[in-house]
Amino acid sequence: MKDHDHVARLMAQMTLAEKIGQLNLMAAGEGLMTGARQPTSLAGRLDTGQVGAIFGTKSLATARAMQERALAGSRLRIPLFFAEDVIHGHRTVFPLNIGLACSWDMDLIAATSRFAAAEAAAEGLHQVYAPMVDISRDARWGRVAEGPGEEPLLAARIAAAAVRGFQGKDPAGKGRVAACLKHFVAYGAPESGRDYDNVSLAWEDLLATYLPPFSAGVEAGAASVMVAFNAVNKLPMHANGPLIEGWLRAGTGFDGLVVSDYTGVAELVAHGLGPAPVAVARAIHAGVDMDMVGEDYLRELPALAKSGVDAPDAGISLTGAQVTALVDRACRRVLDFKQRLGLLDDPFRGMAKTARPPARGRGRALARKAAASAAVLLKNDGVLPLAAETRVALIGPFAADRANMLGTWAVSGRAEDVTPLGEAVTALTGQVPAIAWGANIVDEDWLVQRLNVHGVTVRQDPRPEAEIMAEALATAGQAEVIIAAVGEAKEHAGESSSRLSPDLPAPQRRLIAALAATGKPLVVVLFAGRPLALGAVAEQADALLYAWHGGVAGPEGVADLLFGAANPSGRLAMALPAHPGEVPLSYAHEPTGRPFPGHFAKFRTGWLDMPDDAPRFPFGFGLSYGQVEYGMPQLSRPRALADRPVTLRINVTNSGPCEVVETVQLYASDPVARITRPGRWLIDFQQVTLPPGTSRELRFRVTSDQFSYPIAPSLEGAEWVRDPGLIQLHIGPNSRDTQMAELTWLS
């Protein structure tokens, strides 16, 4: 009640202009700009109380100086809050989110978020634009790099773990920050995989696949949400009241702050929703509380609050009094957010000049562990792990790379903090590998320019390819084992980095083919920001490690795996396509009336030009250096009433020589339903550590509510139903290689 009273007192004293000023979210003008529009002069806004929050400060001193200026310019001394993109770490950069998702380790994900929060808080930040929980099943979309992959249950658990890591029990606590779930919603399902494009999908898909991670994040206590750029079923999200004020607030009980994305309110005009005054009215009516960078709220709301808006062609009519009430609603939410952060009581909370970040060494150790946990071993024909004394040739454009290892959206990371793979191998083994460039990352000069948009990370060797290749082959000839370090540049993935063909670039494919032709054992390490179609590379390699962009200690984590200092435990959070044209792709695809029989057959679904033996790496797949055997699954009862949970038991045994971490995955199918359902979907998973020669019995609790699904002629008319009858449970090490048990719900 005391907090509510504080906000109420401020609201009673504020002028309309002061309230509108609180809705203005501006860029600090330091560092990376993500949009085409540069910020207006910040100083003038601060001096006149026209800023509610700032994002993008790069130091504690800067944040303190801006806070002091804002307090001096505010009649009621209302403080700012400070935010930043802390996507996969802050100064200590962890693996890309898609890589962290492949760990399936919620404690690890919470720990990386907790460390990132402590580093961010030490620089005066109060809010981070994370976690990014957009489901995506299209490898063309560059922002899969920032997300949790293709599976809603895994993504929901990641959302909750990250929120707990960032916020703890209180986002105002020491070393904590407010999480901001993004991007609400279905941003990861754009047409043709093109960033910012619109989304058309069944309401059932929205409710069952794309919204659950947001629901889990809200349930975990997320203090804020960011709205997505895209339209969903024809209505742009920055004007989507049914989803923001409807599903999010009324449906989940979310009572936090909703912020726009960069110039998202202004972009409603380009979406075709009306001129700026109409766009602003639609955004604030839909529930977008703060306007990021565009300043359209600041420009348009004073006149709207006086005269209202009547735009029948845009379907909106509001009186001035109604607009004023919407301004009050948004301002109250901003102030409530600041109160929750403790800023109304202490504007410099957490910003003491003596603030210290957590020990960098501790963060680096965590980053190294995370990098090893994120990497997925896809193939191993007895080559790995390597002995420390093995003579290694390290060949490829990422053998000595630093900057690309950080991955996209590492805004506070520094390339000089990265230990490149060659140096990491030397430090671990005491042996200096022979290194050769081998191939340029891409062939096209125009593409190099695009990849270097935020600084030079892609450098071309000007020599003819034949000369570069000859040097690589000569280097390989002196080694016992070849390690090829290939993949994508950091800006191959991320925002505005959609790819027509998500595969390994051509010069690197040619390099792999030439190295494979030597007949020497070939280990291929893929550094990438998205799932790539590997094609012949999967057959040419004797061992294949998908390392993603592993962050500040990524190469060290890879070295640990290659030489057995760590055992691979990663499992794919997103399937790798067998061919670039196969996307969108998901293990959870719905059956058709003419299902794929496992090989090409005329008049059955499938691809005419895809060979039957194309290598496939499904969702949940990953190998280790151990040998885990699964017993037969056993149900506590084969038939059960809907209110009676059933226990599925299974024994897993490590018959190998080393300790392993096994991720046991439980999927379900519903053979008969009212509508078409996914062929199978994930309902639970458990991670277990197995010392060599040991067995564990795992128990999974199966309940009838895991089989409910929506029938939704509209968003408002959605009904969640569950059918009695036969269901199938599939358990195993991935989504493909499973054993089945059948269960019948009696009612």
Side-chain angles (χ1 to χ4, degrees), residues 492-538:
H492 258 123
E495 187 169 356
S496 190
S497 291
S498 302
R499 288 188 62 187
L500 284 170
S501 184
D503 56 3
L504 189 66
Q508 299 182 70
R509 295 201 302 270
R510 295 192 291 268
L511 171 65
I512 297 299
L515 294 175
T518 66
K520 295 200 171 189
L522 175 61
V523 179
V524 175
V525 179
L526 268 296
F527 296 101
R530 58 160 54 78
L532 296 175
L534 301 180
V537 172

mmCIF file of all heavy atoms in Angstrom, residues 492-538:
data_model
loop_
_atom_site.group_PDB
_atom_site.id
_atom_site.type_symbol
_atom_site.label_atom_id
_atom_site.label_comp_id
_atom_site.label_asym_id
_atom_site.label_seq_id
_atom_site.Cartn_x
_atom_site.Cartn_y
_atom_site.Cartn_z
ATOM 1 N N HIS A 492 26.471 -12.893 -39.821
ATOM 2 C CA HIS A 492 25.646 -13.774 -40.648
ATOM 3 C C HIS A 492 24.298 -14.016 -39.977
ATOM 4 O O HIS A 492 23.307 -14.322 -40.639
ATOM 5 C CB HIS A 492 26.351 -15.130 -40.837
ATOM 6 C CG HIS A 492 27.019 -15.298 -42.157
ATOM 7 N ND1 HIS A 492 28.365 -15.577 -42.286
ATOM 8 C CD2 HIS A 492 26.539 -15.238 -43.416
ATOM 9 C CE1 HIS A 492 28.681 -15.691 -43.552
ATOM 10 N NE2 HIS A 492 27.587 -15.489 -44.267
ATOM 11 N N ALA A 493 24.289 -13.935 -38.657
ATOM 12 C CA ALA A 493 23.073 -14.171 -37.888
ATOM 13 C C ALA A 493 22.748 -12.922 -37.086
ATOM 14 O O ALA A 493 23.547 -11.999 -36.986
ATOM 15 C CB ALA A 493 23.252 -15.374 -36.968
ATOM 16 N N GLY A 494 21.547 -12.908 -36.503
ATOM 17 C CA GLY A 494 21.134 -11.768 -35.710
ATOM 18 C C GLY A 494 20.099 -10.930 -36.426
ATOM 19 O O GLY A 494 19.522 -11.333 -37.449
ATOM 20 N N GLU A 495 19.871 -9.732 -35.893
ATOM 21 C CA GLU A 495 18.832 -8.863 -36.441
ATOM 22 C C GLU A 495 19.159 -8.444 -37.861
ATOM 23 O O GLU A 495 20.304 -8.111 -38.188
ATOM 24 C CB GLU A 495 18.644 -7.628 -35.558
ATOM 25 C CG GLU A 495 17.471 -6.774 -35.990
ATOM 26 C CD GLU A 495 17.116 -5.698 -34.990
ATOM 27 O OE1 GLU A 495 17.727 -5.647 -33.908
ATOM 28 O OE2 GLU A 495 16.213 -4.893 -35.305
ATOM 29 N N SER A 496 18.141 -8.455 -38.718
ATOM 30 C CA SER A 496 18.268 -8.050 -40.117
ATOM 31 C C SER A 496 19.324 -8.877 -40.847
ATOM 32 O O SER A 496 19.993 -8.386 -41.741
ATOM 33 C CB SER A 496 18.606 -6.553 -40.212
ATOM 34 O OG SER A 496 18.507 -6.095 -41.539
ATOM 35 N N SER A 497 19.472 -10.139 -40.466
ATOM 36 C CA SER A 497 20.443 -11.036 -41.108
ATOM 37 C C SER A 497 19.758 -12.327 -41.532
ATOM 38 O O SER A 497 20.188 -13.427 -41.187
ATOM 39 C CB SER A 497 21.607 -11.343 -40.149
ATOM 40 O OG SER A 497 22.397 -10.197 -39.944
ATOM 41 N N SER A 498 18.687 -12.180 -42.267
ATOM 42 C CA SER A 498 18.019 -13.351 -42.824
ATOM 43 C C SER A 498 18.829 -13.880 -44.001
ATOM 44 O O SER A 498 19.415 -13.106 -44.758
ATOM 45 C CB SER A 498 16.608 -12.985 -43.283
ATOM 46 O OG SER A 498 15.855 -12.472 -42.202
ATOM 47 N N ARG A 499 18.853 -15.202 -44.129
ATOM 48 C CA ARG A 499 19.614 -15.831 -45.220
ATOM 49 C C ARG A 499 18.681 -16.642 -46.109
ATOM 50 O O ARG A 499 17.887 -17.450 -45.626
ATOM 51 C CB ARG A 499 20.707 -16.746 -44.663
ATOM 52 C CG ARG A 499 21.880 -16.023 -44.035
ATOM 53 C CD ARG A 499 23.002 -17.001 -43.688
ATOM 54 N NE ARG A 499 23.528 -17.661 -44.881
ATOM 55 C CZ ARG A 499 24.407 -18.658 -44.860
ATOM 56 N NH1 ARG A 499 24.850 -19.123 -43.701
ATOM 57 N NH2 ARG A 499 24.838 -19.200 -45.981
ATOM 58 N N LEU A 500 18.822 -16.440 -47.416
ATOM 59 C CA LEU A 500 18.045 -17.229 -48.360
ATOM 60 C C LEU A 500 18.386 -18.706 -48.260
ATOM 61 O O LEU A 500 17.522 -19.572 -48.396
ATOM 62 C CB LEU A 500 18.309 -16.753 -49.791
ATOM 63 C CG LEU A 500 17.646 -15.458 -50.236
ATOM 64 C CD1 LEU A 500 18.202 -15.020 -51.578
ATOM 65 C CD2 LEU A 500 16.135 -15.633 -50.314
ATOM 66 N N SER A 501 19.661 -18.980 -48.021
ATOM 67 C CA SER A 501 20.132 -20.356 -48.029
ATOM 68 C C SER A 501 20.965 -20.610 -46.778
ATOM 69 O O SER A 501 22.162 -20.310 -46.751
ATOM 70 C CB SER A 501 20.971 -20.632 -49.287
ATOM 71 O OG SER A 501 21.358 -21.978 -49.361
ATOM 72 N N PRO A 502 20.379 -21.147 -45.727
ATOM 73 C CA PRO A 502 21.123 -21.365 -44.485
ATOM 74 C C PRO A 502 22.019 -22.597 -44.568
ATOM 75 O O PRO A 502 21.696 -23.674 -44.066
ATOM 76 C CB PRO A 502 20.012 -21.536 -43.444
ATOM 77 C CG PRO A 502 18.863 -22.094 -44.217
ATOM 78 C CD PRO A 502 18.953 -21.490 -45.590
ATOM 79 N N ASP A 503 23.159 -22.429 -45.212
ATOM 80 C CA ASP A 503 24.120 -23.523 -45.327
ATOM 81 C C ASP A 503 25.526 -22.979 -45.124
ATOM 82 O O ASP A 503 25.730 -21.771 -44.972
ATOM 83 C CB ASP A 503 23.996 -24.240 -46.678
ATOM 84 C CG ASP A 503 24.138 -23.305 -47.876
ATOM 85 O OD1 ASP A 503 24.400 -22.088 -47.673
ATOM 86 O OD2 ASP A 503 23.979 -23.757 -49.017
ATOM 87 N N LEU A 504 26.510 -23.855 -45.097
ATOM 88 C CA LEU A 504 27.899 -23.438 -44.968
ATOM 89 C C LEU A 504 28.315 -22.745 -46.256
ATOM 90 O O LEU A 504 28.110 -23.280 -47.348
ATOM 91 C CB LEU A 504 28.782 -24.660 -44.707
ATOM 92 C CG LEU A 504 30.237 -24.401 -44.343
ATOM 93 C CD1 LEU A 504 30.335 -23.700 -42.996
ATOM 94 C CD2 LEU A 504 31.019 -25.714 -44.320
ATOM 95 N N PRO A 505 28.900 -21.537 -46.177
ATOM 96 C CA PRO A 505 29.269 -20.830 -47.404
ATOM 97 C C PRO A 505 30.174 -21.656 -48.313
ATOM 98 O O PRO A 505 30.984 -22.473 -47.855
ATOM 99 C CB PRO A 505 29.984 -19.582 -46.882
ATOM 100 C CG PRO A 505 29.350 -19.337 -45.543
ATOM 101 C CD PRO A 505 29.120 -20.710 -44.974
ATOM 102 N N ALA A 506 30.047 -21.425 -49.629
ATOM 103 C CA ALA A 506 30.673 -22.265 -50.652
ATOM 104 C C ALA A 506 32.182 -22.420 -50.499
ATOM 105 O O ALA A 506 32.696 -23.544 -50.634
ATOM 106 C CB ALA A 506 30.322 -21.728 -52.038
ATOM 107 N N PRO A 507 32.967 -21.355 -50.248
ATOM 108 C CA PRO A 507 34.418 -21.581 -50.163
ATOM 109 C C PRO A 507 34.794 -22.513 -49.022
ATOM 110 O O PRO A 507 35.776 -23.272 -49.128
ATOM 111 C CB PRO A 507 34.985 -20.176 -49.952
ATOM 112 C CG PRO A 507 33.842 -19.330 -49.496
ATOM 113 C CD PRO A 507 32.628 -19.928 -50.121
ATOM 114 N N GLN A 508 34.023 -22.504 -47.952
ATOM 115 C CA GLN A 508 34.322 -23.396 -46.836
ATOM 116 C C GLN A 508 33.902 -24.831 -47.152
ATOM 117 O O GLN A 508 34.549 -25.788 -46.700
ATOM 118 C CB GLN A 508 33.638 -22.878 -45.574
ATOM 119 C CG GLN A 508 34.117 -21.483 -45.169
ATOM 120 C CD GLN A 508 33.468 -21.020 -43.888
ATOM 121 O OE1 GLN A 508 33.760 -21.549 -42.815
ATOM 122 N NE2 GLN A 508 32.591 -20.039 -43.990
ATOM 123 N N ARG A 509 32.844 -24.995 -47.932
ATOM 124 C CA ARG A 509 32.477 -26.348 -48.369
ATOM 125 C C ARG A 509 33.568 -26.937 -49.244
ATOM 126 O O ARG A 509 33.891 -28.133 -49.140
ATOM 127 C CB ARG A 509 31.145 -26.323 -49.121
ATOM 128 C CG ARG A 509 29.955 -25.920 -48.276
ATOM 129 C CD ARG A 509 28.638 -26.389 -48.899
ATOM 130 N NE ARG A 509 28.424 -25.890 -50.250
ATOM 131 C CZ ARG A 509 27.809 -24.748 -50.535
ATOM 132 N NH1 ARG A 509 27.384 -23.940 -49.562
ATOM 133 N NH2 ARG A 509 27.628 -24.387 -51.799
ATOM 134 N N ARG A 510 34.137 -26.109 -50.098
ATOM 135 C CA ARG A 510 35.224 -26.606 -50.961
ATOM 136 C C ARG A 510 36.443 -26.997 -50.128
ATOM 137 O O ARG A 510 37.127 -27.985 -50.420
ATOM 138 C CB ARG A 510 35.583 -25.540 -52.002
ATOM 139 C CG ARG A 510 34.461 -25.254 -52.996
ATOM 140 C CD ARG A 510 34.931 -24.427 -54.176
ATOM 141 N NE ARG A 510 35.274 -23.061 -53.834
ATOM 142 C CZ ARG A 510 34.429 -22.021 -53.885
ATOM 143 N NH1 ARG A 510 33.155 -22.211 -54.236
ATOM 144 N NH2 ARG A 510 34.827 -20.799 -53.583
ATOM 145 N N LEU A 511 36.705 -26.219 -49.076
ATOM 146 C CA LEU A 511 37.817 -26.548 -48.193
ATOM 147 C C LEU A 511 37.597 -27.902 -47.526
ATOM 148 O O LEU A 511 38.510 -28.740 -47.486
ATOM 149 C CB LEU A 511 37.980 -25.463 -47.129
ATOM 150 C CG LEU A 511 38.972 -25.771 -46.002
ATOM 151 C CD1 LEU A 511 40.392 -25.884 -46.548
ATOM 152 C CD2 LEU A 511 38.891 -24.711 -44.906
ATOM 153 N N ILE A 512 36.404 -28.141 -46.992
ATOM 154 C CA ILE A 512 36.122 -29.408 -46.315
ATOM 155 C C ILE A 512 36.287 -30.574 -47.282
ATOM 156 O O ILE A 512 36.867 -31.623 -46.938
ATOM 157 C CB ILE A 512 34.702 -29.401 -45.715
ATOM 158 C CG1 ILE A 512 34.572 -28.324 -44.637
ATOM 159 C CG2 ILE A 512 34.348 -30.773 -45.153
ATOM 160 C CD1 ILE A 512 35.502 -28.494 -43.469
ATOM 161 N N ALA A 513 35.802 -30.415 -48.494
ATOM 162 C CA ALA A 513 35.937 -31.493 -49.482
ATOM 163 C C ALA A 513 37.402 -31.803 -49.755
ATOM 164 O O ALA A 513 37.804 -32.977 -49.849
ATOM 165 C CB ALA A 513 35.220 -31.108 -50.771
ATOM 166 N N ALA A 514 38.229 -30.766 -49.882
ATOM 167 C CA ALA A 514 39.655 -30.981 -50.151
ATOM 168 C C ALA A 514 40.356 -31.633 -48.961
ATOM 169 O O ALA A 514 41.197 -32.526 -49.135
ATOM 170 C CB ALA A 514 40.320 -29.650 -50.498
ATOM 171 N N LEU A 515 40.018 -31.230 -47.755
ATOM 172 C CA LEU A 515 40.640 -31.824 -46.575
ATOM 173 C C LEU A 515 40.210 -33.274 -46.404
ATOM 174 O O LEU A 515 41.014 -34.136 -46.019
ATOM 175 C CB LEU A 515 40.275 -31.013 -45.329
ATOM 176 C CG LEU A 515 40.825 -29.587 -45.269
ATOM 177 C CD1 LEU A 515 40.294 -28.858 -44.037
ATOM 178 C CD2 LEU A 515 42.348 -29.574 -45.275
ATOM 179 N N ALA A 516 38.937 -33.562 -46.688
ATOM 180 C CA ALA A 516 38.460 -34.941 -46.586
ATOM 181 C C ALA A 516 39.180 -35.846 -47.578
ATOM 182 O O ALA A 516 39.448 -37.025 -47.285
ATOM 183 C CB ALA A 516 36.952 -34.986 -46.807
ATOM 184 N N ALA A 517 39.527 -35.295 -48.736
ATOM 185 C CA ALA A 517 40.189 -36.094 -49.773
ATOM 186 C C ALA A 517 41.602 -36.508 -49.391
ATOM 187 O O ALA A 517 42.178 -37.407 -50.016
ATOM 188 C CB ALA A 517 40.200 -35.316 -51.087
ATOM 189 N N THR A 518 42.172 -35.893 -48.366
ATOM 190 C CA THR A 518 43.522 -36.291 -47.930
ATOM 191 C C THR A 518 43.513 -37.661 -47.270
ATOM 192 O O THR A 518 44.561 -38.306 -47.152
ATOM 193 C CB THR A 518 44.102 -35.278 -46.925
ATOM 194 O OG1 THR A 518 43.332 -35.313 -45.709
ATOM 195 C CG2 THR A 518 44.099 -33.867 -47.498
ATOM 196 N N GLY A 519 42.362 -38.108 -46.806
ATOM 197 C CA GLY A 519 42.271 -39.398 -46.132
ATOM 198 C C GLY A 519 42.643 -39.363 -44.671
ATOM 199 O O GLY A 519 42.542 -40.381 -43.974
ATOM 200 N N LYS A 520 43.063 -38.218 -44.183
ATOM 201 C CA LYS A 520 43.416 -38.106 -42.765
ATOM 202 C C LYS A 520 42.153 -37.879 -41.927
ATOM 203 O O LYS A 520 41.167 -37.326 -42.423
ATOM 204 C CB LYS A 520 44.394 -36.960 -42.555
ATOM 205 C CG LYS A 520 45.736 -37.197 -43.232
ATOM 206 C CD LYS A 520 46.821 -36.327 -42.651
ATOM 207 C CE LYS A 520 48.179 -36.756 -43.216
ATOM 208 N NZ LYS A 520 49.300 -36.099 -42.544
ATOM 209 N N PRO A 521 42.171 -38.293 -40.654
ATOM 210 C CA PRO A 521 41.003 -38.035 -39.804
ATOM 211 C C PRO A 521 40.659 -36.552 -39.789
ATOM 212 O O PRO A 521 41.525 -35.702 -39.565
ATOM 213 C CB PRO A 521 41.456 -38.523 -38.430
ATOM 214 C CG PRO A 521 42.527 -39.526 -38.722
ATOM 215 C CD PRO A 521 43.231 -39.024 -39.948
ATOM 216 N N LEU A 522 39.392 -36.253 -40.042
ATOM 217 C CA LEU A 522 38.946 -34.867 -40.179
ATOM 218 C C LEU A 522 37.872 -34.561 -39.139
ATOM 219 O O LEU A 522 36.804 -35.176 -39.134
ATOM 220 C CB LEU A 522 38.390 -34.626 -41.582
ATOM 221 C CG LEU A 522 37.761 -33.250 -41.849
ATOM 222 C CD1 LEU A 522 38.769 -32.129 -41.662
ATOM 223 C CD2 LEU A 522 37.150 -33.206 -43.259
ATOM 224 N N VAL A 523 38.186 -33.611 -38.264
ATOM 225 C CA VAL A 523 37.234 -33.115 -37.269
ATOM 226 C C VAL A 523 36.751 -31.747 -37.744
ATOM 227 O O VAL A 523 37.562 -30.836 -37.940
ATOM 228 C CB VAL A 523 37.888 -32.993 -35.880
ATOM 229 C CG1 VAL A 523 36.878 -32.438 -34.875
ATOM 230 C CG2 VAL A 523 38.438 -34.338 -35.421
ATOM 231 N N VAL A 524 35.462 -31.601 -37.936
ATOM 232 C CA VAL A 524 34.893 -30.324 -38.371
ATOM 233 C C VAL A 524 34.205 -29.664 -37.179
ATOM 234 O O VAL A 524 33.349 -30.273 -36.533
ATOM 235 C CB VAL A 524 33.899 -30.505 -39.527
ATOM 236 C CG1 VAL A 524 33.238 -29.172 -39.880
ATOM 237 C CG2 VAL A 524 34.613 -31.079 -40.747
ATOM 238 N N VAL A 525 34.624 -28.435 -36.877
ATOM 239 C CA VAL A 525 34.005 -27.635 -35.829
ATOM 240 C C VAL A 525 33.248 -26.502 -36.493
ATOM 241 O O VAL A 525 33.841 -25.704 -37.233
ATOM 242 C CB VAL A 525 35.047 -27.079 -34.844
ATOM 243 C CG1 VAL A 525 34.371 -26.234 -33.768
ATOM 244 C CG2 VAL A 525 35.847 -28.215 -34.211
ATOM 245 N N LEU A 526 31.942 -26.442 -36.243
ATOM 246 C CA LEU A 526 31.075 -25.428 -36.842
ATOM 247 C C LEU A 526 30.806 -24.324 -35.841
ATOM 248 O O LEU A 526 30.222 -24.557 -34.773
ATOM 249 C CB LEU A 526 29.738 -26.042 -37.249
ATOM 250 C CG LEU A 526 29.544 -26.594 -38.666
ATOM 251 C CD1 LEU A 526 29.638 -25.515 -39.712
ATOM 252 C CD2 LEU A 526 30.485 -27.737 -38.939
ATOM 253 N N PHE A 527 31.223 -23.096 -36.160
ATOM 254 C CA PHE A 527 30.873 -21.914 -35.375
ATOM 255 C C PHE A 527 29.768 -21.182 -36.140
ATOM 256 O O PHE A 527 30.000 -20.726 -37.262
ATOM 257 C CB PHE A 527 32.081 -21.004 -35.191
ATOM 258 C CG PHE A 527 33.210 -21.614 -34.401
ATOM 259 C CD1 PHE A 527 34.329 -22.124 -35.037
ATOM 260 C CD2 PHE A 527 33.152 -21.680 -33.020
ATOM 261 C CE1 PHE A 527 35.377 -22.678 -34.314
ATOM 262 C CE2 PHE A 527 34.190 -22.230 -32.284
ATOM 263 C CZ PHE A 527 35.305 -22.734 -32.929
ATOM 264 N N ALA A 528 28.596 -21.070 -35.556
ATOM 265 C CA ALA A 528 27.477 -20.514 -36.313
ATOM 266 C C ALA A 528 26.449 -19.907 -35.379
ATOM 267 O O ALA A 528 26.454 -20.139 -34.172
ATOM 268 C CB ALA A 528 26.831 -21.606 -37.177
ATOM 269 N N GLY A 529 25.549 -19.115 -35.972
ATOM 270 C CA GLY A 529 24.478 -18.479 -35.217
ATOM 271 C C GLY A 529 23.118 -19.028 -35.529
ATOM 272 O O GLY A 529 22.121 -18.553 -34.991
ATOM 273 N N ARG A 530 23.052 -20.036 -36.379
ATOM 274 C CA ARG A 530 21.773 -20.659 -36.747
ATOM 275 C C ARG A 530 22.044 -22.116 -37.112
ATOM 276 O O ARG A 530 23.190 -22.499 -37.360
ATOM 277 C CB ARG A 530 21.156 -19.943 -37.948
ATOM 278 C CG ARG A 530 22.077 -19.940 -39.160
ATOM 279 C CD ARG A 530 21.348 -19.690 -40.467
ATOM 280 N NE ARG A 530 20.540 -18.504 -40.498
ATOM 281 C CZ ARG A 530 20.977 -17.260 -40.657
ATOM 282 N NH1 ARG A 530 22.278 -17.035 -40.773
ATOM 283 N NH2 ARG A 530 20.152 -16.234 -40.716
ATOM 284 N N PRO A 531 21.007 -22.934 -37.172
ATOM 285 C CA PRO A 531 21.195 -24.289 -37.698
ATOM 286 C C PRO A 531 21.485 -24.231 -39.199
ATOM 287 O O PRO A 531 20.738 -23.596 -39.951
ATOM 288 C CB PRO A 531 19.849 -24.971 -37.434
ATOM 289 C CG PRO A 531 19.137 -24.101 -36.456
ATOM 290 C CD PRO A 531 19.627 -22.713 -36.698
ATOM 291 N N LEU A 532 22.562 -24.840 -39.604
ATOM 292 C CA LEU A 532 22.951 -24.846 -41.009
ATOM 293 C C LEU A 532 22.697 -26.217 -41.624
ATOM 294 O O LEU A 532 22.910 -27.251 -40.979
ATOM 295 C CB LEU A 532 24.430 -24.501 -41.163
ATOM 296 C CG LEU A 532 24.865 -23.107 -40.729
ATOM 297 C CD1 LEU A 532 26.380 -22.977 -40.821
ATOM 298 C CD2 LEU A 532 24.193 -22.037 -41.581
ATOM 299 N N ALA A 533 22.273 -26.215 -42.883
ATOM 300 C CA ALA A 533 22.207 -27.452 -43.652
ATOM 301 C C ALA A 533 23.636 -27.839 -44.024
ATOM 302 O O ALA A 533 24.334 -27.085 -44.694
ATOM 303 C CB ALA A 533 21.355 -27.250 -44.899
ATOM 304 N N LEU A 534 24.083 -29.002 -43.573
ATOM 305 C CA LEU A 534 25.488 -29.370 -43.714
ATOM 306 C C LEU A 534 25.773 -30.156 -44.986
ATOM 307 O O LEU A 534 26.920 -30.212 -45.426
ATOM 308 C CB LEU A 534 25.927 -30.177 -42.491
ATOM 309 C CG LEU A 534 25.774 -29.443 -41.159
ATOM 310 C CD1 LEU A 534 26.233 -30.324 -40.010
ATOM 311 C CD2 LEU A 534 26.547 -28.131 -41.170
ATOM 312 N N GLY A 535 24.767 -30.766 -45.563
ATOM 313 C CA GLY A 535 24.962 -31.476 -46.816
ATOM 314 C C GLY A 535 26.081 -32.493 -46.738
ATOM 315 O O GLY A 535 26.184 -33.284 -45.791
ATOM 316 N N ALA A 536 26.985 -32.450 -47.728
ATOM 317 C CA ALA A 536 28.063 -33.431 -47.823
ATOM 318 C C ALA A 536 29.045 -33.335 -46.667
ATOM 319 O O ALA A 536 29.750 -34.306 -46.373
ATOM 320 C CB ALA A 536 28.798 -33.252 -49.153
ATOM 321 N N VAL A 537 29.112 -32.186 -46.004
ATOM 322 C CA VAL A 537 30.054 -32.017 -44.891
ATOM 323 C C VAL A 537 29.812 -33.078 -43.817
ATOM 324 O O VAL A 537 30.753 -33.613 -43.225
ATOM 325 C CB VAL A 537 29.935 -30.605 -44.289
ATOM 326 C CG1 VAL A 537 30.761 -30.481 -43.014
ATOM 327 C CG2 VAL A 537 30.364 -29.561 -45.313
ATOM 328 N N ALA A 538 28.542 -33.413 -43.575
ATOM 329 C CA ALA A 538 28.220 -34.402 -42.546
ATOM 330 C C ALA A 538 28.774 -35.776 -42.895
ATOM 331 O O ALA A 538 29.061 -36.581 -41.998
ATOM 332 C CB ALA A 538 26.713 -34.480 -42.347
#
